[in-house]
């Protein structure tokens, strides 16, 4: 079990009890199988099973490649172990390895949307193991071998690769090697070293260690400068005790015999052995600025605290997520298989591994988005000794790594289904990570074709600056940051943000030549609403929401985003002083909730407290309009606590009345109600009302009042695991979006993109 002390960690560790509770609570274990096709009706059954299923059976028999079209094969990986080297815990058997293998399967899904199942094979006999696995090819697009001890793992992998026509990848070997190589590239760069002259000692000469050493040598590391050690000490030329052919291949001419001797003056330590194998004395004897990758799991060869206690010039990495610099194969296997599956690669070769390592290393050098900063509990990491490698929750991994792997597969001729449009592939990859992406993808794409000028009203806020940079970087248009330039530049300098790039414009309201025009414009609107000229002057000079909204109103910007420093309704009031509703429209808020692959729009989540029947009908029209603009065919449910008159009550009457109003208006979208949420969202429940006019479950939910809208979307987010975007402002004459005060920079960029999209692409 991981230690429970919390000294100087970036993240809290876990207790043994917490780990057991986590695994036993609810449904025991960590995964379940869920169908991808509806099984609601007799017809579904006929299609999914007999007789319908016979059709794809025959098609696959005729052309085996169609298995990728009609079955799960193309996205399904088996995680297979016999439990002979479970993490660094040793040989605890196949059954005991199951929590780790279930874990790997879950990580495949979570990080790269690869479906996966764990298979524990209860034999230590190499032939039996190979014979068990070799016939499983038809079920899977790839085989991930895990926690099988050396040297058995080398023989098993080699033999399976020979007889199977799908990638067979021993993760402890190659996954680990890829991540360690990526970390090494960056640690060498940070300490001014190179592959030719650096001296490396690797403790452990098993699966992970041999693969790490082989990969870095394949990448150009000088083999003469690498010493391997195992439980018997240094692996030197001529040693006979405890040797095998894989160790012999890396034996060197040296008179050093122990790990202690080997490490004297060494630049790099790779630990792929066991807890506590590296002593502080050994660390003291290493060269200046030593690089120490203590990768044994769950407990490293030495802890970062122990190293920090004796020297302050070391770069330290471990395999754990509760220290900085996690060098762990979780950063690799999900994405490597993603890329390999997507081109139907027949194997995962060295070129694909090196491409993955290089892509990972480069990513660590880029500016870090909010989601990653959150994984560091708010301490935004910057490339340096404490951040040489991205963290597993880095949302950029899903697009960066698979694409590098897929390209390398195509270049080396092992891709059976090459990808022609890589930019389209990059978008598909992002969409896999987060269902929001597929909804937003279209918006981003359209904005890119017609870029827009968006004013980021709270330009002095760091998140606004980061979002503006991201907006400009993604070629969405010009990001106008509103605020005092000097302040902004100071903050930017401190935060390492580069404002001197194309697509960024800074506007200081006080120095702007447009102050007069904005003041006149706003005074004309407000003079009969109790505002004196100098009140309006003050609003324009001192209040960035008013200035920004006037910029948009008078065409100096196409859209605006705000919300970080004021609550939603205050920001909306600011904007409404400057911008009206679009003629014939009503301003409302619509939230988009994405859950388990389903998207629903919920309205009104921002403006109307207790809408009248007339207002509810307007809300339905506005929300349906947004749904159409987002590419959905709206099916609007007018929600209430009752369904079609039962139980009756005064509050539901307003909703019923709204349906009648929509009838009179002859609107051109599907709607019905009043109905309860389960009727709207569950096909089987809806079928109990055969007269219901919705052709399927609702994708637009009009709530009877603001409180139910707000409460239900927040519950969806907190309890239902939904991602909720918005509320998006709909119905304004000009394009404005208000982010929530807790918005991350990625949320703000989304809001800015939506503002740009609404500005008339
Ligand atoms: N961070 C990561 O992503 C990963 C970390 N690992 C970690 O690496 C370690 C090894 O795993 P793996 O290669 O799969 O296991 P193997 O069983 O294949 O290899 C273990 C190797 O470690 C050596 N060893 C064990 N204890 C010591 C010690 N005290 N001093 C020197 N050498 C020792 C063994 O020596 P001998 O040959 O003499 O028996 C053997 O060469 C584990 O702790 C595992 O958790 C593994 C994969 C990924
Ligand atoms: C991380 C991993 O695969 C291991 O420690 O075995
Ligand atoms: Mg492992």
């Amino acid at each position: 079990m991981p230690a429970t002390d919390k000294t100087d960690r970036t993240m809290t560790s876990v207790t043994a009890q917490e780990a057991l509770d986590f695994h036993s609570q609810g449904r025991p274990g960590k995964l379940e199988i869920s169908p991808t096709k509806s099984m609601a009706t007799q017809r579904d059954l006929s299609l999914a099973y007999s007789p319908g299923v016979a059709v794809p059976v025959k098609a696959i028999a005729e052309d085996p490649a169609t298995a990728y079209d009609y079955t799960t094969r193309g996205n399904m990986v088996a995680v297979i172990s016999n439990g002979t080297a479970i993490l660094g815990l040793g040989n605890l058997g196949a059954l005991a390895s199951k929590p780790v293998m279930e874990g790997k399967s879950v990580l495949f899904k979570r990080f790269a949307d690869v479906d996966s199942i764990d298979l524990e094979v209860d034999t230590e006999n190499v032939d039996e193991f190979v014979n068990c696995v070799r016939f499983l090819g038809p079920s899977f697009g790839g085989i991930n071998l895990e926690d099988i001890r050396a040297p058995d793992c080398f023989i098993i992998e080699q033999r399976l690769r020979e007889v199977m026509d799908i990638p067979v990848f021993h993760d402890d070997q190659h996954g680990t090697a890829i991540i360690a190589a990526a970390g090494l590239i960056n640690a060498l760069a940070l300490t001014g070293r190179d592959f030719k002259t650096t001296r490396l000692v690797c403790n452990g000469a098993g699966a992970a260690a041999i693969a790490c050493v082989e990969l870095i040598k394949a990448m150009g590391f000088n083999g003469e400068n690498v010493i391997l050690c195992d439980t018997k000490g240094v692996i030197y030329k001529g040693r006979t005790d405890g040797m095998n052919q894989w160790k012999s291949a890396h034996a060197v001419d040296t008179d050093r015999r122990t790990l202690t001797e080997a490490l004297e003056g060494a630049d790099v330590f790779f630990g792929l052995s066991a807890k506590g194998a590296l002593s502080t004395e050994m660390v003291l004897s290493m060269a200046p600025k030593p690089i120490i990758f203590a990768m044994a799991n769950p407990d490293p060869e030495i802890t970062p605290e122990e190293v920090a206690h004796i020297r302050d010039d070391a770069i330290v990495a471990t395999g754990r997520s509760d220290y900085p610099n996690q060098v762990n194969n979780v950063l690799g296997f999900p994405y490597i298989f993603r890329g390999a599956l997507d081109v139907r690669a027949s194997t995962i070769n060295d070129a694909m591994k090196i491409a993955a390592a290089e892509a990972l290393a480069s990513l660590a050098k880029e500016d870090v988005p909010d989601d990653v900063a959150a994984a560091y509990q708010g301490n935004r990491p910057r490339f340096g000794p404490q951040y040489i490698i991205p963290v597993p929750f880095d949302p950029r991994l899903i697009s960066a790594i698979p694409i590098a792997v897929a390209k390398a597969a195509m270049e080396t001729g092992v891709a059976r289904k090459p990808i022609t449009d890589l930019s389209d592939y990059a978008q598909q990859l992002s969409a896999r990570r987060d269902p929001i992406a597929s909804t937003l993808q279209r918006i981003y794409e359209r904005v890119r074709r017609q870029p827009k000028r968006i004013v980021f009203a709270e330009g002095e806020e760091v998140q606004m600056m980061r979002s503006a940079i991201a907006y400009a970087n993604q070629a969405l248009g010009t990001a106008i940051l509103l605020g005092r330039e000097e302040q902004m530049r100071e903050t930017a300098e401190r935060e390492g943000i580069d404002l001197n790039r194309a697509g960024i414009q800074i506007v200081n309201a006080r120095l702007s030549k447009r102050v007069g025009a904005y003041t006149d414009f706003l005074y004309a609107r407000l003079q009969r609403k109790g505002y004196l000229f100098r009140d309006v002057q003050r609003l324009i000079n001192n209040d960035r929401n008013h200035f920004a909204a006037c910029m948009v109103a008078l065409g100096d910007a196409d859209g605006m985003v705000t919300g970080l420093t004021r609550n939603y309704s205050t920001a909306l009031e600011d904007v409404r002083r400057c911008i009206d509703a679009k003629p014939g429209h009503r301003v409302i808020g619509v939230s988009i909730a994405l859950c388990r692959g389903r998207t629903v729009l919920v309205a009104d989540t921002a403006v109307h407290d207790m809408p009248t029947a007339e207002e509810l009908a307007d809300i339905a029209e506005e929300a349906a309009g947004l749904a159409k603009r987002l590419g959905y065919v709206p099916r609007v449910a007018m929600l209430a606590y009752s369904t079609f008159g039962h139980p009756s009550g005064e509050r539901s009457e307003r909703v019923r009345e709204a349906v009648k109003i929509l009838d009179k208006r002859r609107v051109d979208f599907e709607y019905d109600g009043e109905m309860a949420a389960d009727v709207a969202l569950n096909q089987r429940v809806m079928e109990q009302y055969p007269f219901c006019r919705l052709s399927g479950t609702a994708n637009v939910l009009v709530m009877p009042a603001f409180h139910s809208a707000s409460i239900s979307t927040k519950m969806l987010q907190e309890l239902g695991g939904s991602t909720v975007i918005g509320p998006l402002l709909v119905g304004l004459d000009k394009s404005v979006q208000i982010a929530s005060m807790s918005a991350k920079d990625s949320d703000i960029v989304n809001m800015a993109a939506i503002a740009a999209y609404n500005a008339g692409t």
Side-chain angles (χ1 to χ4, degrees), residues 688-757:
Q688 290 169 12
Y689 303 90
F691 56 88
C692 175
R693 297 180 301 202
L694 297 185
S695 62
T697 53
N699 52 13
V700 177
L701 306 178
V702 173
M703 292 287 171
F706 177 59
H707 54 69
S708 41
S710 170
I711 292 167
S712 56
T713 43
K714 286 183 177 149
M715 282 180 72
L716 270 177
Q717 199 161 12
E718 297 303 324
L719 295 177
S722 295
T723 308
V724 177
I725 317 179
L728 308 183
L729 268 185
V730 179
L732 270 182
D733 197 25
K734 300 283 174 183
S735 188
V736 177
Q737 290 303 334
I738 301 172
S740 80
M741 288 172 74
S742 58
K744 292 184 291 190
D745 49 21
S746 51
D747 301 326
I748 300 168
V749 182
N750 286 340
M751 285 299 198
I754 290 166
Y757 180 81

Side-chain angles (χ1 to χ4, degrees), residues 85 87 100 104 146-147 171-172 329:
L87 310 174
V100 176
K104 295 269 173 181
E146 190 69 44
D147 290 359
D171 179 37
D172 297 282
N329 50 32

Side-chain angles (χ1 to χ4, degrees), residues 87-88 150 172 176 203 205-208 231 247 272 295-297 327-329:
L87 310 174
D172 297 282
T176 317
N203 198 44
T231 53
K247 291 182 185 179
L272 291 151
M295 296 174 274
N297 284 318
V327 173
N328 190 303
N329 50 32

Side-chain angles (χ1 to χ4, degrees), residues 85-261:
I86 308 176
L87 310 174
L89 304 171
N91 182 359
L92 300 180
L95 183 60
S97 77
K98 190 162 168 59
V100 176
M101 303 315 132
E102 286 185 3
K104 295 269 173 181
S105 289
V106 170
L107 297 175
F108 264 118
K109 186 71 186 170
R110 167 65 182 80
F111 289 120
D113 195 20
V114 171
D115 292 311
S116 164
I117 184 80
D118 60 298
L119 299 174
E120 290 71 28
V121 179
D122 197 5
T123 177
E124 291 184 20
N125 180 295
V126 167
D127 291 328
E128 284 177 355
F129 190 94
V130 168
N131 277 332
C132 172
V133 176
R134 65 176 295 184
F135 300 110
L136 299 177
S139 309
F140 304 105
I143 303 286
N144 182 93
L145 300 173
E146 190 69 44
D147 290 359
I148 303 169
R149 72 179 163 210
D152 300 355
C153 61
F154 303 126
I155 304 164
I156 288 171
E157 190 193 43
Q158 176 64 30
R159 284 179 42 193
L160 288 176
R161 281 169 70 104
E162 279 162 14
V163 295
M164 300 184 83
D165 68 348
I166 52 175
V168 177
F169 179 88
H170 183 203
D171 179 37
D172 297 282
Q173 291 184 56
H174 315 299
T176 317
I178 289 164
I179 316 310
L184 184 64
I185 292 172
N186 284 343
L188 293 183
L190 283 167
T191 54
R193 294 181 167 104
D194 60 32
F195 268 30
K196 292 279 165 245
T197 54
T198 300
R199 284 190 48 218
L200 181 146
V201 174
C202 179
N203 198 44
I210 296 278
C212 283
V213 165
E214 276 176 1
L215 185 66
I216 60 168
K217 286 185 186 176
M219 292 171 79
F221 203 95
N222 185 350
E224 286 172 13
N225 292 336
V226 178
I227 296 182
L228 220 54
C229 298
D230 60 10
T231 53
K232 310 257 178 326
V234 169
I235 295 177
Y236 57 89
K237 275 209 171 115
R239 194 183 108 174
T240 51
D241 194 14
M243 291 294 282
N244 59 43
Q245 68 185 86
W246 295 274
K247 291 182 185 179
S248 296
H250 300 283
V252 283
D253 262 328
T254 175
D255 51 10
R256 300 180 193 231
R257 291 293 177 265
T258 62
L259 178 63
T260 306
E261 289 169 11

